[in-house]
Amino acid sequence: MTSFKEKWERSWNFEKKMNVVIVWTIAAITIVAIVVSTFSFVMSITEQNSQYVTDQLNVMAEDCANNLEQYKALITACSLDSHVQAYCECTSREKAYNEIGSVYDSFLNMLYLQYNANFIAVINSRVGDYLYNGNVNVTGSGFEKVYEEDYEKSLAAKTKGSLRVSFSNRYHGGKKYTLTLYFPVYSVTKMVNSRGLLVVNLDDDLLKRFHQKNSMYSSNLYLTDVEGTIVSTQDEGRIGEKLVFAGKIKGNQGRFWHGGRLVSYQKVSDWNFYMINEVEAFALYHDCIGTILILLAVTLVATGIALALARNITKRLFTPINKIVSTMNDVSKGDLRTRIYMEDMDSDGKKLADGFNIMMDEIDVLMEQVKEEQRQFDKMRLNALQSQIQPHFLYNTLECIHWQALSEGNKEISTMVKAMAQYYRICLSEGKDIITLETELKHVENYLIIQNMRYDNIITLDVKVPEEYLSIEIPKLTLQPLVENSIYHGIRVKEGKKGTIEIAISEKDVSQGNIVTEYAPIKNDFIENDFMGNEDILITVEDDGVGMTEEELAYVNQNISNNDSDVGYGISNINKRIELMFGEKYGLTFRAGTRGGICVEIRLPGNPQEDENEV
């Protein structure tokens, strides 16, 4: 990876270096100023907002303590009421019945005094009965069903004393959260055992605020017991959950950071409750974001102005040189048609540009000469390869032998010679380089007639080419040398010395490399050549011979285009002819076959057309 120093010294021009120096200088000064001012400003704002949150929390804790003291005074006065005392002293329902009216009157007076009270009830523990009066009837409040459960789950209001409180939605059918106070009724003369239990249910204003959207810096406000268990909060689903930072809450008040949040807490006087406020750090300094954005905008504007000035100055000085350098860079990437236009250059720049353009014109002439020489060389190599497989004299001689054998009645010799004559007739193909697949398959069949007569029918040919594909055109003498190679190097050297050769057409997915069983053309978008059609085909020649190791297959595929003697002249000849005709994308590929031997894949362009200029 190129380092910054190397880019500075080698890759960047003078214009870019000047721009970088100016921008860095201005940016460094501005960044330092922004960092210092932003840090001090953020710290100041954060401290102010934190103190504001703490003050707000103290006010709410004081309100909560005052409300609880007021409720405590109410329920204490109610428990000392003479009629309530008389009712709880009753040991039979008949006596208790006589006190009902007086108790109702006392409850009614207290409900008038405490506007937010929902109901007041007293339970006589001696007779197991209760008296109830309230703004909500006993059925609507669900008193009979839930008071025992709610009492069991209530909390001790203070470390000392018998008052218990409950913040829940158990009453009123779960429709709202209310505050319920439970206070035992003791005899004013003998405060040993309680005679009953007094219950007061209220709509507490502070509790309502807990269940409304909290606007204090988008904070989370909790009322918890001394163990850190949530008693009330805006998210009702969290009631009863113990705060993860409960262990950090110690003493009467304090604050600490936890998980990117500022946690402030305040004990509710001498009650067993804490007011806790949890605020995200972002909310504490969001007021200074505007100032930071203004500083950032100023920095960007100053940097932009500096950059514009630097570019304007250096552009005027170095535009001609940069244009020449840019054009030469295009040439280094292979664009030999590029030229430099000299209208807006000075005299020195025009001289450099004129010399560059003359040089590129000379290079174009030389490139065309090299291309023409290469085309002629490739054509000579192709003609030389084709001349090796045009045995005119031998073909005519075999025809004579065929007729002589037939006239003498030797059908075996006649069949063999006729097959060989047809074999060489196809080799000539009237000077054509490309023949149909049907003709090439006949050529293979004639060859195998001769070989099976020589070797006692050791070869079975299995052709899996549908009739509609027999008209496909391929270079002549493509399949026969591969069949010959399968016989001599695969089948004859294996145990039993008999085998099968399969010739088939398969579909090849170029993008994935998957082979399927049926032929389907493949789009070719990569190579332009006079011989190519629009699609590729894949022909396979597979035997069940001894096969090759993975190393041998890799060696053959790697060296098949290099005229390596270890690969074999016949195979190299086929591959080279295909490459010269169609391009290096096409040719032979060897792989392990499914029959245990070798499978040769022949990739050709679909529907090849013969070049009229080819000899």
Side-chain angles (χ1 to χ4, degrees), residues 550-562:
E550 293 183 2
E551 291 77 10
E552 291 172 335
L553 288 171
Y555 181 84
V556 171
N557 288 327
Q558 184 177 0
N559 296 280
I560 194 170
S561 299
N562 300 333

Side-chain angles (χ1 to χ4, degrees), residues 60-72:
M60 293 187 70
E62 186 176 350
D63 288 345
C64 182
N66 291 336
N67 287 349
L68 291 175
E69 289 292 347
Q70 179 184 344
Y71 301 149
K72 178 184 177 183

Side-chain angles (χ1 to χ4, degrees), residues 74-118:
L74 170 67
I75 198 169
T76 300
C78 186
S79 68
L80 296 176
D81 182 84
S82 59
H83 300 294
V84 173
Q85 286 282 327
Y87 174 77
C88 291
E89 289 292 339
C90 294
T91 57
S92 65
R93 292 182 180 274
E94 291 76 11
K95 293 181 180 180
Y97 182 78
N98 296 328
E99 299 294 335
I100 290 177
S102 300
V103 174
Y104 277 161
D105 291 339
S106 297
F107 284 177
L108 186 61
N109 291 331
M110 293 183 182
L111 289 172
Y112 283 147
L113 293 173
Q114 194 66 41
Y115 71 94
N116 61 334
N118 294 314

Side-chain angles (χ1 to χ4, degrees), residues 3-70:
S3 64
F4 175 80
K5 183 178 179 181
E6 292 175 341
K7 288 182 179 180
W8 177 271
E9 295 178 350
R10 302 179 183 179
S11 303
W12 290 359
N13 55 27
F14 182 75
E15 179 183 356
K16 184 178 289 187
K17 293 178 180 178
M18 288 294 296
N19 290 335
V20 170
V21 171
I22 294 174
V23 171
W24 280 8
T25 302
I26 295 177
I29 295 173
T30 307
I31 290 172
V32 171
I34 289 177
V35 170
V36 173
S37 59
T38 301
F39 179 78
S40 59
F41 186 68
V42 167
M43 293 300 295
S44 176
I45 293 295
T46 302
E47 180 61 28
Q48 292 178 14
N49 290 340
S50 299
Q51 187 60 47
Y52 173 76
V53 170
T54 301
D55 293 342
Q56 290 285 81
L57 193 64
N58 291 339
V59 171
M60 293 187 70
E62 186 176 350
D63 288 345
C64 182
N66 291 336
N67 287 349
L68 291 175
E69 289 292 347
Q70 179 184 344

Side-chain angles (χ1 to χ4, degrees), residues 260-288:
R261 293 170 174 263
L262 178 65
V263 179
S264 302
Y265 62 91
Q266 174 68 49
K267 197 169 187 298
V268 182
S269 186
D270 58 345
W271 296 82
N272 291 336
F273 300 103
Y274 278 101
M275 296 287 295
I276 300 175
N277 190 48
E278 184 183 26
V279 187
E280 290 186 359
F282 174 78
L284 294 174
Y285 54 76
H286 75 285
D287 292 337
C288 62

Side-chain angles (χ1 to χ4, degrees), residues 388-436:
Q388 298 176 20
I389 53 175
Q390 295 179 357
H392 297 272
F393 176 75
L394 182 58
Y395 163 68
N396 293 330
T397 302
L398 291 173
E399 283 290 316
C400 293
I401 296 174
H402 160 66
W403 290 111
Q404 184 68 30
L406 190 63
S407 64
E408 294 181 1
N410 194 327
K411 293 184 178 181
E412 185 175 353
I413 294 177
S414 174
T415 299
M416 180 179 291
V417 173
K418 183 178 179 180
M420 183 167 289
Q422 291 177 346
Y423 172 87
Y424 284 111
R425 183 187 299 276
I426 294 174
C427 287
L428 293 175
S429 301
E430 297 180 353
K432 296 180 180 179
D433 295 323
I434 296 178
I435 60 177
T436 64

